Amino acid sequence: MPDAPSPEALAPSLVGEEYEVEVGPVAHGGHCVARTEAGRVLFVRHTLPGERVVARVTEGREDSRFLRADAVEILEASKDRIEAPCPFSGPGKCGGCDWQHAKPGAQRRLKADVLAEQLQRLAGMTPEDVSWDGTLEPAPGDKLPAGEVPAWRTRVQYAVDDEGRAGLRKHRSHEVQPVDHCMIAAPGVTELGIERRTWEGIVTVEATAATGSQDRQVVLTPRPGARLPIVELDRPVSVLRVGEKDKALHRVHGRDFVRERADERTWRVGAGGFWQVHPKAAELLVDAVMRGLTPRKGEMALDLYCGVGLFAGALADRVGETGAVLGIESAKRAVEDAQRNLEDFDRVRIERGKVETVLPRTGITEADIVVLDPPRAGAGKRTVEHIASLGPRRIAYVACDPAALARDLKYFKDAGYAPRFLRAFDLFPMTHHMECVAVLEPVQKAG
């Protein structure tokens, strides 16, 4: 393996250099695009389209294709700019929120612009092509006046600095920004008082406040060789720790799961398992998916990347005793939870493994309806082609990343499926993230 280049061989760093620039369009990732007078591309955070700012480089060298930068001085402000409500938001501070400095309506427009751009660039599709109205829908209760922040995040992973102070990571950094209150944390998380105590010997503290139950959970990751501290929080809570050697979760006190509520059912979610972070998200997404698929009694349904079985359970309810549901999930604990959550459905089966490996082995040659909720990287061409080969009458694709969604929609298009409609949800206010649901049909049936 070749030796790493010496510092002398690297192009000079431009970190700290400042450029006065006109800010262009928003880009995926919570920044906007600008160019220096010499034509060099900057991806600038803490700014808005149309502004004139002083941008200070945070990453990049003379030979870099582009530079990353923060807007450290606003020379001409956008009408959509507000004073960031959070004192920990801004250049060099917490990296959790991207758009604290934008009015809520502007945040949703910026995200819609990103989704439209990704669809056009990666899939060659317009909003009209996917029957999308071009907007992001806020969750109920999140449409607040400028300057007010919805407290929505039911799971927060705090980092701990060398002095034992809880905080959040700075943007693209391991450095910790200590905080005394995270404004987007749900009340159930804030009530635990994580930020108000010292965490000696701890690397991270992950706090979860379940929706629909009073379950609260804290997962601690100790520093190597450190003893677990006595945990005294502001309310009863289950405590787990990450093993120093095996990295597995070990129960210290209370349950090793929380109970969530959605679609008129209670769902068991093991520590570290996936559940939507916004308290309204699970219900909203189930409703959007079921409305799009219109399941019928007796149908065969697939739930791919099924997690703890949320969509599988909703499908099973609707296809009835004469229907069947197969869920596929790779995480061992999630499969165990899904099997327990759905044990009262005789015709639901949960298989463990990667979708691209397990689905071909099932022997299933056709399916009526399919839900897929892949990780951020998307499903990929191979899986999309296999799903299409099963000939489902409708497919519901739940996506947390617009770029992955656009790529996979292109693969579906090539495989003969077109969007019947697309809905986009602003389930991560103040950040650049969004959630989408695209419902597809065979091209000959579309429209």
Side-chain angles (χ1 to χ4, degrees):
M1 190 172 177
D3 294 334
S6 66
E8 294 78 12
L10 295 173
S13 171
L14 293 178
V15 172
E17 290 291 317
E18 294 185 354
Y19 301 92
E20 186 175 317
V21 294
E22 297 279 356
V23 179
V26 64
H28 185 28
H31 45 246
C32 298
V33 181
R35 289 182 182 272
T36 67
E37 290 185 356
R40 185 184 291 273
V41 174
L42 300 176
F43 288 117
V44 188
R45 285 173 59 81
H46 309 293
T47 188
L48 295 169
E51 293 190 324
R52 187 164 188 82
V53 305
V54 175
R56 181 181 297 156
V57 177
T58 57
E59 290 183 44
R61 298 180 175 276
E62 282 282 7
D63 58 353
S64 300
R65 290 192 302 112
F66 60 85
L67 306 175
R68 297 184 184 274
D70 285 341
V72 295
E73 184 178 354
I74 310 302
L75 304 176
E76 296 176 16
S78 165
K79 62 180 177 58
D80 290 323
R81 175 175 286 276
I82 60 171
E83 187 73 23
C86 178
F88 306 108
S89 176
K93 298 181 182 180
C94 172
C97 291
D98 308 291
W99 301 118
Q100 287 265 355
H101 58 285
K103 294 176 182 177
Q107 293 183 33
R108 291 189 286 272
R109 290 195 298 274
L110 290 168
K111 296 184 192 186
D113 288 346
V114 168
L115 177 55
E117 187 272 337
Q118 296 291 299
L119 288 170
Q120 180 63 58
R121 184 168 63 87
L122 299 176
M125 297 178 178
T126 66
E128 292 74 20
D129 293 331
V130 297
S131 297
W132 170 47
D133 66 5
T135 68
L136 258 71
E137 304 173 38
D142 280 359
K143 201 168 184 179
L144 301 175
E148 294 188 27
V149 178
W152 56 270
R153 194 171 185 90
T154 60
R155 178 175 295 176
V156 178
Q157 186 174 79
Y158 297 91
V160 179
D161 69 9
D162 292 339
E163 298 178 36
R165 298 175 299 178
L168 300 164
R169 302 285 185 190
K170 297 183 179 182
H171 183 61
R172 295 175 61 86
S173 171
H174 292 294
E175 191 176 349
V176 178
Q177 167 66 64
V179 301
D180 56 23
H181 173 57
C182 175
M183 295 186 75
I184 65 172
V189 170
T190 300
E191 290 165 5
L192 296 175
I194 303 296
E195 306 101 323
R196 296 191 290 273
R197 63 154 291 167
T198 301
W199 297 92
E200 294 180 4
I202 298 297
V203 178
T204 61
V205 181
E206 183 173 307
T208 299
T211 302
S213 79
Q214 292 301 308
D215 293 351
R216 304 291 183 264
Q217 187 179 83
V218 168
V219 177
L220 303 175
T221 304
R223 296 183 185 277
R227 298 183 64 181
L228 198 67
I230 297 174
V231 179
E232 295 180 357
L233 295 172
D234 293 354
R235 57 160 296 158
V237 61
S238 298
V239 179
L240 298 95
R241 67 175 174 85
V242 178
E244 181 179 336
K245 295 181 179 180
D246 58 10
K247 302 302 180 186
L249 291 174
H250 301 275
R251 184 167 54 186
V252 176
H253 171 74
R255 300 187 182 97
D256 64 349
F257 62 89
V258 296
R259 293 163 298 179
E260 301 283 359
R261 187 76 183 167
D263 198 40
E264 300 182 353
R265 295 178 64 85
T266 296
W267 305 88
R268 174 182 173 133
V269 183
F274 175 78
W275 188 261
Q276 289 288 340
V277 178
H278 194 293
K280 303 292 179 62
E283 200 74 52
L284 276 174
L285 295 174
V286 167
D287 181 71
V289 167
M290 294 303 122
R291 284 175 182 270
L293 291 179
T294 60
R296 303 166 184 167
K297 299 295 184 183
E299 288 194 313
M300 170 63 189
L302 300 180
D303 181 8
L304 309 180
Y305 316 92
C306 71
V308 301
L310 175 63
F311 293 117
L315 289 166
D317 264 336
R318 291 156 176 83
V319 300
E321 295 180 359
T322 58
V325 180
L326 171 67
I328 300 177
E329 168 59 41
S330 61
K332 179 175 182 291
R333 178 58 191 270
V335 168
E336 293 171 355
D337 287 337
Q339 291 170 339
R340 181 183 292 264
N341 290 333
L342 304 173
E343 60 187 1
D344 54 333
F345 291 109
D346 293 335
R347 293 177 61 79
V348 173
R349 188 169 96 247
I350 306 296
E351 297 282 350
R352 183 187 171 201
K354 294 183 177 180
V355 170
E356 61 268 28
T357 302
V358 174
L359 186 55
R361 294 178 181 173
T362 62
I364 293 173
T365 57
E366 58 184 37
D368 297 299
I369 50 178
V370 178
V371 181
L372 66 156
D373 186 3
R376 193 166 300 280
K381 184 177 182 180
R382 176 182 168 190
T383 298
V384 165
E385 290 176 343
H386 192 112
I387 293 169
S389 74
L390 302 177
R393 65 174 180 82
R394 285 191 186 172
I395 300 166
Y397 188 126
V398 183
C400 62
D401 184 86
L405 171 65
R407 286 192 295 268
D408 284 346
L409 287 182
K410 175 63 165 62
Y411 297 143
F412 273 117
K413 181 180 178 181
D414 294 343
Y417 278 79
R420 177 182 176 87
F421 68 81
L422 184 148
R423 293 175 67 185
F425 299 93
D426 188 18
L427 300 181
F428 308 88
M430 304 293 156
T431 80
H432 74 271
H433 299 289
M434 68 187 81
E435 201 83 19
C436 299
V437 174
V439 173
L440 300 97
E441 289 183 331
V443 171
Q444 61 269 26
K445 296 180 182 177

